[in-house]
């Protein structure tokens, strides 16, 4: 059985990382059973120093996109078989937009914005022993803030970041429309990616400005409800 290494169930979602949640969702959509090993301790064991990674027999694969490629190649999975060549290209570019851009807006909402940080600090570090529990959040936040500055998101003010998030949410809402799924009204790999990123704003137990904004899109909220009910109701 495939073992997925992630951070763990947290703040109301199966994993607080959209990349881990992406892998969980894809495996569920593909009908492939997996087991979970979760915790920060696995970061040091990760081949690329990040989670998720999987162990499948004698094979270890890191990076969510490479994990999906591994599943497709070794388990005969093709959730995109109903897509045209043009739609496959669109799916690829939409995925990169969420993974490489939208993700950082979510990080900002949790680690930079004080309302999100108050929840992250209380939840993510509660299992740490004292005095590590006092020091670790400060060190971790400083590191994430540095990454946000280098990436560029935190160089914008809060209103600008909210507008940037709203722009992407607007487009996703238009793309989905009244459909159940993004392409041909049939589940595809992009649904695993889109759900993972949207759930990390809509379904989490954080009520910051970006979360409130995401919840204003009724069709995106219904979309998350639909996928959570279909694939995670027993989790």
């Amino acid at each position: 059985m495939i073992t997925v290494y992630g951070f763990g169930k947290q703040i109301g979602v199966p994993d607080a990382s959209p990349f881990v949640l992406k892998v969980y969702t894809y495996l569920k959509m593909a009908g492939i059973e997996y087991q979970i090993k979760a915790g920060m301790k696995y970061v040091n064991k990760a081949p690329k120093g990040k989670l998720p990674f999987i162990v499948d027999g004698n094979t270890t694969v890191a990076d969510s996109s490479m994990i999906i490629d591994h599943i497709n190649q070794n388990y005969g999975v093709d959730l995109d078989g109903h897509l045209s060549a043009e739609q496959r290209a669109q799916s690829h570019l939409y995925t990169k937009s969420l993974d490489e851009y939208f993700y950082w807006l979510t990080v900002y909402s949790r680690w930079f914005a004080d309302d999100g940080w108050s929840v992250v600090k209380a939840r993510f570090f509660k299992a740490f022993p004292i005095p590590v529990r006092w020091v670790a959040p400060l060190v971790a936040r400083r590191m994430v803030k540095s990454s946000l500055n280098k990436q560029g998101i935190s160089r914008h003010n809060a209103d600008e970041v909210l507008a940037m998030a709203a722009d992407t949410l607007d487009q996703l809402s238009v793309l989905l429309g009244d459909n159940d799924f993004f392409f041909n009204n049939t589940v595809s790999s992009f649904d695993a990616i889109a759900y993972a990123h949207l759930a990390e704003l809509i379904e989490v137990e954080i009520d910051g400005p970006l979360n409130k904004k995401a919840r204003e899109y009724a069709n995106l909220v219904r979309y998350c409800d639909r996928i959570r009910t279909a694939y995670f109701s027993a989790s």
Side-chain angles (χ1 to χ4, degrees):
M1 182 182 292
I2 293 173
T3 301
V4 183
Y5 292 80
F7 294 99
K9 190 173 183 179
Q10 189 62 271
I11 57 174
V13 285
D15 198 283
S17 164
F19 300 106
V20 179
L21 184 54
K22 178 204 302 189
V23 172
Y24 291 169
T25 308
Y26 192 84
L27 287 167
K28 286 181 177 293
M29 288 177 171
I32 297 173
E33 293 187 2
Y34 62 93
Q35 62 181 354
I36 296 169
K37 290 190 177 181
M40 285 294 298
K41 63 185 178 181
Y42 294 115
V43 173
N44 293 330
K45 298 180 181 180
K48 299 182 179 180
K50 294 183 177 182
L51 302 178
F53 70 94
I54 67 166
V55 173
D56 183 13
N58 295 322
T59 302
T60 300
V61 185
D63 184 273
S64 60
S65 295
M66 293 181 179
I67 291 169
I68 288 175
D69 288 343
H70 171 84
I71 298 303
N72 292 344
Q73 294 167 11
N74 291 275
Y75 288 83
V77 174
D78 185 7
L79 295 187
D80 296 338
H82 62 290
L83 302 188
S84 67
E86 181 180 4
Q87 288 174 325
R88 286 176 181 262
Q90 291 168 342
S91 176
H92 175 81
L93 294 175
Y94 297 163
T95 296
K96 294 304 178 185
S97 176
L98 294 181
D99 283 355
E100 307 297 340
Y101 171 70
F102 193 71
Y103 162 74
W104 289 102
L105 299 171
T106 300
V107 174
Y108 175 97
S109 73
R110 295 181 184 180
W111 292 84
F112 193 92
D114 289 335
D115 41 20
W117 170 244
S118 64
V119 176
V120 167
K121 181 180 179 181
R123 300 285 191 87
F124 285 19
F125 300 95
K126 65 180 181 181
F128 284 48
I130 295 174
V132 176
R133 194 188 313 164
W134 299 334
V135 178
L138 301 176
V139 174
R141 192 185 195 195
R142 188 180 303 119
M143 291 174 62
V144 175
K145 279 189 169 184
S146 176
S147 296
L148 287 166
N149 181 263
K150 291 174 183 176
Q151 193 278 338
I153 290 292
S154 65
R155 303 186 189 205
H156 303 285
N157 64 41
D159 289 339
E160 290 170 334
V161 171
L162 186 61
M164 293 161 71
D167 186 42
T168 295
L169 291 165
D170 285 345
Q171 309 316 315
L172 286 171
S173 181
V174 170
L175 285 170
L176 182 63
D178 294 327
N179 297 317
D180 288 345
F181 305 105
F182 276 95
F183 288 103
N184 306 332
N185 214 18
T186 302
V187 70
S188 70
S189 63
F190 182 68
D191 290 297
I193 287 95
Y195 170 71
H197 285 281
L198 289 170
E200 297 290 348
L201 285 179
I202 291 173
E203 295 185 349
V204 292
E205 295 164 349
I206 300 175
D207 200 30
L210 266 68
N211 307 97
K212 291 176 180 177
K213 173 57 67 175
R215 292 168 188 147
E216 292 177 3
Y217 296 82
N219 65 336
L220 298 183
V221 172
R222 289 194 301 270
Y223 175 78
C224 286
D225 288 343
R226 183 180 305 115
I227 292 183
R228 184 182 66 251
T229 299
Y231 299 105
F232 291 96
S233 58
S235 299

